[in-house]
């Protein structure tokens, strides 16, 4: 009985070969679709990441502060992660900036994401008093 069932199932080799080819083609379509979905996901993540990067416009001669990442290893309220007052000497492509100290002693190149503009000057500070209790 089992021999007869096996013979009947394998009797039509051409039909089983066509079915196998269709299964392989379907598997190949699934694979291509997975590659396309991964590509779309990577592009959207790159767009989101690039959107979160702040665009900073610097000019030569502008005074900036430099982010010192070594101070952040030991965080403290009294330590500032922003160090020095530097002057932009030259701006290179791909956000590279050449900085010099205020006195013009040393020059070095850093990533533009590690600097921020220094807003020097006198800022008006207002004192605000808060009345506690009834204002009678």
């Amino acid at each position: 009985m089992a021999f007869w069932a096996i013979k009947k199932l394998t009797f039509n080799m051409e039909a089983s070969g066509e079915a196998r080819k269709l299964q392989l083609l379907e598997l190949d379509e699934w694979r291509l679709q997975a590659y396309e979905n991964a590509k779309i996901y990577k592009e959207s993540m790159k767009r989101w990441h690039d959107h979160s990067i702040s665009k900073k416009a610097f000019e030569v001669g502008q005074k900036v502060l430099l982010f010192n990442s070594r101070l952040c290893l030991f965080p403290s309220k009294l330590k500032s992660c922003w160090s020095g007052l530097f002057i932009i000497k030259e701006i290179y492509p791909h956000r590279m900036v050449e900085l010099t100290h205020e006195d013009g002693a040393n020059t070095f190149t850093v990533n533009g994401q590690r600097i921020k503009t220094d807003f020097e000057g006198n800022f008006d500070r207002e004192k605000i008093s808060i009345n506690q209790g009834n204002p009678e």
Side-chain angles (χ1 to χ4, degrees):
M1 183 88 165
F3 179 71
W4 177 80
I6 293 173
K7 185 178 177 186
K8 183 155 177 116
L9 288 175
T10 59
F11 184 69
N12 196 353
M13 294 293 233
E14 292 175 5
S16 62
E18 286 294 322
R20 181 66 179 160
K21 284 181 186 178
L22 289 175
Q23 288 175 348
L24 289 174
L25 288 175
E26 186 178 352
L27 185 65
D28 195 34
E29 288 177 14
W30 277 91
R31 184 182 58 86
L32 290 175
Q33 187 177 7
Y35 280 137
E36 186 175 339
N37 288 341
K39 182 180 175 184
I40 291 170
Y41 174 76
K42 286 180 183 179
E43 288 173 356
S44 66
M45 283 294 107
K46 180 173 174 37
R47 232 182 353 261
W48 178 81
H49 177 71
D50 290 347
H51 176 66
S52 65
I53 294 175
S54 61
K55 304 292 183 199
K56 300 177 184 178
F58 298 110
E59 299 173 1
V60 175
Q62 186 177 11
K63 293 182 180 181
V64 294
L65 297 173
L66 178 64
F67 182 76
N68 191 352
S69 59
R70 291 185 182 182
L71 288 177
C72 288
L73 293 176
F74 307 105
S76 174
K77 290 183 179 180
L78 299 177
K79 289 182 181 177
S80 174
C81 290
W82 298 96
S83 62
L85 189 59
F86 301 98
I87 300 173
I88 296 177
K89 186 174 180 184
E90 191 172 348
I91 300 173
Y92 298 109
H94 305 292
R95 298 188 190 121
M96 293 303 293
V97 178
E98 186 175 348
L99 300 178
T100 182
H101 288 281
E102 261 189 316
D103 57 3
N106 298 0
T107 60
F108 53 95
T109 306
V110 296
N111 188 349
Q113 288 292 318
R114 291 185 59 204
I115 60 176
K116 72 175 182 179
T117 58
D118 178 41
F119 298 108
E120 63 182 356
N122 297 329
F123 293 104
D124 296 331
R125 297 179 187 255
E126 298 178 9
K127 292 185 180 180
I128 300 172
S129 63
I130 299 173
N131 295 331
Q132 295 194 5
N134 295 334
E136 294 177 15

